[in-house]
Amino acid sequence: MLAVLPRLRRFARALARDAADADDLCQMTVEKALLARASWQPGTRLDSWMYRIMRNAWIDTARARGRASETFVDAEAGAGVGGDGGAEARVALGEVEAAMRRLPDEQREAVALVLVEGLAYKEAAEVLDIPMGTLTSRLVRGRQALMLDLGEAA
């Protein structure tokens, strides 16, 4: 499970769009995976199983936030609460991360699983619980949107 953590964190960043939320999502995923470890089938991919747990946890979190935003006032309405040599690479990475955050959720999930995490199309479709054709179309639209956003020829 420890070997999968860096990949889980990247996927969490793609889902959450925020480092703190991504860390919380990773922690929640590991906790859920440990509690449900008896349901993992040896011989199957642990990373795919954990990606699915993470995605479902993120959906639950997003739904809860949606309900909370309908119930509570915004935080702004309350009292205020209070590298060496890699600069160009960090700037480029930041631009890609920003472009990824601007993608619709469905496209961002597909791009993160296939292009960033390296899952096969079939595995990614299973994690997202969608048909392979739907995954392919989301990837195509996501790639085109990223290239357009980053100023590259589509």
Side-chain angles (χ1 to χ4, degrees):
M1 189 178 289
L2 290 176
V4 178
L5 283 178
R7 296 177 63 203
L8 282 174
R9 189 157 193 282
R10 277 195 307 263
F11 186 50
R13 289 281 306 240
L15 292 175
R17 305 177 191 177
D18 176 77
D21 288 343
D23 289 342
D24 292 344
L25 184 57
C26 275
Q27 181 176 349
M28 186 184 321
T29 300
V30 169
E31 180 181 341
K32 287 178 183 257
L34 288 172
L35 290 172
R37 66 183 171 266
S39 68
W40 177 68
Q41 298 173 351
T44 61
R45 290 190 56 163
L46 179 65
D47 59 346
S48 294
W49 180 69
M50 292 188 71
Y51 286 140
R52 175 162 266 194
I53 291 171
M54 179 175 283
R55 182 172 181 268
N56 289 338
W58 178 247
I59 290 169
D60 292 345
T61 301
R63 286 181 183 152
R65 284 183 180 171
R67 287 189 299 269
S69 70
E70 294 171 2
T71 307
F72 301 104
V73 296
D74 291 336
E76 292 82 32
V81 178
D84 298 17
E88 289 179 12
R90 284 192 299 274
V91 168
L93 181 59
E95 290 172 357
V96 172
E97 286 178 348
M100 284 279 291
R101 283 192 299 270
R102 289 188 288 271
L103 287 176
D105 293 343
E106 298 83 15
Q107 292 175 15
R108 191 176 63 258
E109 290 173 346
V111 168
L113 286 174
V114 175
L115 300 179
V116 178
E117 296 304 324
L119 263 63
Y121 283 29
K122 181 179 179 186
E123 292 168 335
E126 289 172 1
V127 168
L128 298 174
D129 197 26
I130 58 175
M132 188 105 73
T134 302
L135 175 75
T136 304
S137 67
R138 289 179 183 178
L139 276 171
V140 168
R141 288 193 312 269
R143 282 183 186 131
Q144 289 173 341
L146 283 173
M147 289 190 294
L148 183 65
D149 196 357
L150 295 170
E152 297 178 16

